[in-house]
Amino acid sequence: MVIKMLNDLSLLMKDITLIILLAPLLGCLIAGLLGYKIGRFWTSFFTILFLAVSLGLSIYLMLKMTIFDPQIKAYHVHLYRWASVTNINFDIGFLVDRLTCYMLIVVTFVSFLVHIYSIGYMEDDQGYQRFFCYISGFTFAMLALVLADNFLLLFFGWEGVGLASYLLISFWYHKDSALNAGLKAFIVNRVGDLGFLLGIALVLMYTSSLDYQTVFNHIPGLFKNSETVSLYPGGPFVNVITLMCILLFIGAMGKSAQMPLHVWLEGSMEGPTPISALIHAATMVTAGVYMVARLSPMFEYSGTALNLVLIIGSATCFFMGLIAIVQTDIKKVIAYSTLSQLGYMMAGEGASAFSLGLFHLMTHAAFKALLFLAAGSVIVGMHHEQDMRKMGGLRKHMPVTYICFLIGALSLAAIPPFSGFYSKDLIIEAVQNSNFPSTPIASFFVVAGAMLTALYTFRMFFMVFHGEERLSAKHKKHMKESPISILIPLIALSIPAAIIGLLFFDPIMHHFFHDDLKLFPKNDIISVFAKDYPSAWEFFAHSFVTLPFWLAILGIFIMWVCYVVSPNLPKKISTAFSQIYLILKKKFFIDDINDILFTKGAHLISKLCSYVGDKIIIDGIFVNGSARSVGFIGKLVRSLQTGYLYQYSFVMLLGLIIILISVIV
């Protein structure tokens, strides 16, 4: 009886997980193959319906893992054997645990609202059906990545979101800027994916498996034996686990846009605004954060790798926040905000507080999707104008968008009790309590980042909604609140952006992911926090005596003075600090350096190869050289053909004499 129940449970989980994964794919195929036949309404209807099915079943799985069957920590769903090479089997299957369910809900919930929002935002676009095809395909790839119980399916989903992001960023392919941005995203991610693929190859080489659990079981043995590998013949030896983790993290740096592989994310703004929300909030950029957390049983065995994650994450948080302060495009401000917040997530994971990185991933998904969609509402109202210098005073024209944007801004700036406060301030404390060589500088970066976040967030807020109206006559005449299909997702996202941090604080503090994230006891900072802050309200009360809170308040006050009280002050400041302003506007010259080293450098190398390899070696020696050689030999031989019989007789006689001499001698 028990065996039958277990078998029934296994079949049920297999069916549910397959439906969650394949429902968005079915919507993608309907929109892509039949969209132009069934029309816009039915295209959006079917894609949203199938995504609603995935969302509902994801919620059911979470309830099952936490309430209905809390004693069962994980389900392993085996689908089929993809290949078998010698003694290595490559199986395709799903791992369903609390971490999986958590990510499934985040991805499907945000994607569901983005689908609804897109009905209004894309209603006049000729590529309406193609758009819904792409975003459903994007969601399918992300769900495959999340559900994977092995590196093979993880890599499939990893590359799937990369492909979908290229298609979506380049969606308006008639614009050269969109094509270039899509290509840039694709190429930069290939750089990170090279490291990711090498990391997977190293895992396979030393564990003879790509299954998560099998790999995790091998890691303690590799650690105990201090296994090392040479980077090249005769080269230095490095710890195998450290090299695995660093290579895998390079993949995460590409997907989650960490310095220096962050340069593609700004260009993603070339796609429609709903795509910006989907990429930046719940799908592509969170893939790297999720992957590092999922592989925590590996990263825990390498302090070097964790230290690298900590310093890269905290540096990204700080420097991208500085760049956000000087942006004038509303979407680009939010884009650099995403880069900065991803840095917070990575810094938390580098401090071994993986669950806090995931906590911020969830709160960020809510308030960042809200901010992007609210920005899209503003852009629709402004007839697709994105320059904040041409806005101002919009709160009178768009009151619902204004309130929703304010909630998102307060959450992003980590003002208690909004959601971003709980996740971000916990990460700051975790970094400050970490024990790595980079802890002092990382602590400075994340604390200073709290003020930077408030500065760029409320600079954007005050420029758009407060101060003097800077609208053109055309915009002022037609300015009005967005349609209901845009406002419903905004209102729906405002709720979790405001309260989800408060609701999830206690579960996170009481080891919600305890069985999924394998931590060394010395790295279990969450247990320390649980004793110091036994409830969300005590952490809320604690915030008023912390430096990050007052830095955030100071940042908001400075922006209020600069853009509401004295609007001429920012120009005076930028003039007084023109050199610093130039550096920030040029984004620390990283794009220029990349252009010189890689774009122009590759062009120079290609010209050199063309001249030396093609013109000199191939054309000069092999093609034209062989022709000249034949011509020279022909000319030489032709000079011997005189037509005189006595010369031919003499040559024949001379040849005969030479042959006879050679035989006799």
Side-chain angles (χ1 to χ4, degrees), residues 144-155:
L145 186 155
V146 169
L147 282 166
D149 74 342
N150 60 84
F151 286 92
L152 181 62
L153 187 56
L154 173 70
F155 189 71

Side-chain angles (χ1 to χ4, degrees), residues 187-401:
I187 292 173
V188 172
N189 273 276
R190 297 293 71 72
V191 175
D193 291 352
L194 174 61
F196 188 57
L197 194 57
L198 289 173
I200 293 175
L202 196 63
V203 167
L204 181 63
M205 178 179 175
Y206 278 87
T207 66
S208 299
S209 178
L210 293 180
D211 176 74
Y212 288 156
Q213 196 56 53
T214 304
V215 172
F216 296 161
N217 291 338
H218 275 81
I219 293 299
L222 294 175
F223 178 78
K224 183 178 180 181
N225 296 329
S226 300
E227 288 280 353
T228 59
V229 60
S230 176
L231 296 178
Y232 52 87
F237 285 84
V238 297
N239 184 273
V240 166
I241 300 176
T242 295
L243 185 58
M244 285 179 186
C245 293
I246 290 176
L247 288 172
L248 293 168
F249 178 62
I250 290 173
M253 288 170 63
K255 278 290 181 290
S256 292
Q258 299 295 288
M259 294 177 64
L261 299 182
H262 67 281
V263 292
W264 67 269
L265 198 65
E266 179 193 352
S268 66
M269 299 299 99
E270 290 292 337
T273 298
I275 292 316
S276 302
L278 196 58
I279 290 177
H280 286 242
T283 53
M284 186 170 176
V285 296
T286 62
V289 178
Y290 166 76
M291 185 267 286
V292 172
R294 174 59 77 190
L295 303 183
S296 59
M298 296 175 61
F299 278 85
E300 276 293 279
Y301 282 90
S302 176
T304 302
L306 286 174
N307 188 65
L308 177 66
V309 175
L310 176 60
I311 191 62
I312 292 291
S314 58
T316 302
C317 158
F318 179 74
F319 290 107
M320 296 303 104
L322 285 173
I323 295 175
I325 293 176
V326 299
Q327 299 301 307
T328 55
D329 185 310
I330 186 172
K331 287 175 66 176
K332 289 186 178 181
V333 175
I334 305 175
Y336 279 102
S337 162
T338 298
L339 287 165
S340 182
Q341 299 308 305
L342 287 167
Y344 271 112
M345 297 176 210
M346 285 297 186
E349 295 187 328
S352 279
F354 297 95
S355 57
L356 297 185
L358 292 168
F359 188 23
H360 196 51
L361 183 155
M362 178 180 64
T363 60
H364 176 265
F367 64 70
K368 187 52 60 68
L370 173 61
L371 284 172
F372 262 117
L373 298 187
S377 178
V378 170
I379 292 168
V380 168
M382 292 289 296
H383 299 277
H384 295 277
E385 175 61 64
Q386 297 179 194
D387 192 336
M388 297 187 298
R389 293 170 296 186
K390 299 178 181 179
M391 300 179 189
L394 295 189
R395 70 185 187 281
K396 294 178 292 184
H397 303 285
M398 311 182 79
V400 178
T401 300

Side-chain angles (χ1 to χ4, degrees), residues 67-202:
I67 298 176
F68 303 151
D69 292 317
Q71 73 280 3
I72 301 177
K73 305 304 180 184
Y75 295 101
H76 291 270
V77 180
H78 181 266
L79 295 179
Y80 61 92
R81 178 153 294 167
W82 182 70
S84 183
V85 181
T86 60
N87 62 333
I88 302 175
N89 297 321
F90 298 97
D91 295 324
I92 302 297
F94 301 145
L95 170 61
V96 182
D97 55 14
R98 289 188 176 189
L99 175 54
T100 304
C101 297
Y102 181 86
M103 286 299 297
L104 288 177
I105 292 176
V106 170
V107 172
T108 54
F109 177 69
V110 174
S111 184
F112 176 69
L113 293 179
V114 167
H115 274 68
I116 295 174
Y117 177 92
S118 300
I119 296 173
Y121 192 90
M122 301 296 293
E123 63 179 348
D124 297 324
D125 198 285
Q126 292 182 346
Y128 187 92
Q129 289 91 332
R130 180 166 57 91
F131 179 83
F132 276 89
C133 170
Y134 288 171
I135 58 174
S136 288
F138 200 149
T139 307
F140 159 73
M142 188 64 190
L143 293 177
L145 186 155
V146 169
L147 282 166
D149 74 342
N150 60 84
F151 286 92
L152 181 62
L153 187 56
L154 173 70
F155 189 71
F156 169 80
W158 194 267
E159 294 305 307
V161 294
L163 172 62
S165 68
Y166 169 73
L167 295 173
L168 288 165
I169 294 170
S170 307
F171 181 79
W172 287 319
Y173 53 82
H174 55 275
K175 295 166 55 180
D176 289 340
S177 58
L179 289 174
N180 292 334
L183 189 60
K184 186 177 184 179
F186 196 79
I187 292 173
V188 172
N189 273 276
R190 297 293 71 72
V191 175
D193 291 352
L194 174 61
F196 188 57
L197 194 57
L198 289 173
I200 293 175
L202 196 63

Side-chain angles (χ1 to χ4, degrees), residues 440-459:
I441 185 66
S443 297
F444 168 77
F445 283 155
V446 296
V447 171
M451 183 173 183
L452 293 176
T453 304
L455 288 172
Y456 64 68
T457 302
F458 279 87
R459 171 180 175 267

Side-chain angles (χ1 to χ4, degrees), residues 12 82 166 339 373 412 465 584 644 647 665:
L12 176 64
W82 182 70
Y166 169 73
L339 287 165
L373 298 187
L412 172 58
F465 293 103
L584 297 181
Y644 294 108
Q647 288 185 348
V665 175

